[in-house]
């Protein structure tokens, strides 16, 4: 799922057309349509993102809240800031990237990465 798909799905769950949603929340329908279609990247302005989350009834600290922000980060081609603020996670990112890219890793590095991921759950 993309950020735009997430936003559109939430809007549709309210039974609102794009135009009705925009009128209710003070958004420009043309720009919001582009956001939902992935033509515009999600804004990195936290105030705007907070307003949009509220309009979509995305409550803080819920799984939807994290998905909302993570989809936005992915759309902007960023690593979510909550991960970048964690020094342990940042330290493991190169190993994770290598693994995801299919590069061989020594068994001990793979075991270390798996243990780290399990400890975060």
């Amino acid at each position: 799922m993309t950020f735009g798909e997430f936003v559109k799905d939430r809007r549709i769950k309210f039974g609102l057309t794009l135009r009705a949603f925009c009128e209710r929340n003070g958004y420009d329908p043309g720009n919001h349509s582009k956001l939902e279609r992935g033509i515009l990247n999600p804004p990195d302005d936290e105030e705007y993102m907070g307003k949009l989350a509220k309009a979509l009834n995305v409550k803080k600290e819920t799984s939807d809240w994290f998905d909302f922000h993570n989809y936005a980060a992915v759309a902007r081609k960023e690593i979510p800031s909550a991960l970048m603020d964690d020094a342990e996670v940042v330290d493991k990112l190169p190993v994770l990237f290598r693994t995801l890219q299919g590069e061989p890793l020594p068994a001990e590095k793979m075991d270390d990465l798996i243990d780290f991921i399990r400890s975060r759950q």
Side-chain angles (χ1 to χ4, degrees), residues 52-102:
L52 182 57
K54 184 175 180 180
L56 296 168
N57 197 30
V58 175
K59 306 232 184 284
K60 285 188 177 183
E61 304 303 317
T62 63
S63 63
D64 283 341
W65 175 264
F66 293 111
D67 287 346
F68 176 75
H69 288 281
N70 289 337
Y71 288 136
V74 168
R76 292 189 299 257
K77 297 180 179 4
E78 299 173 350
I79 296 172
S81 60
L83 295 177
M84 292 304 295
D85 292 342
D86 186 322
E88 274 187 290
V89 170
V90 171
D91 185 53
K92 300 295 183 201
L93 286 176
V95 175
L96 177 63
F97 295 155
R98 282 183 60 191
T99 303
L100 293 173
Q101 292 168 336

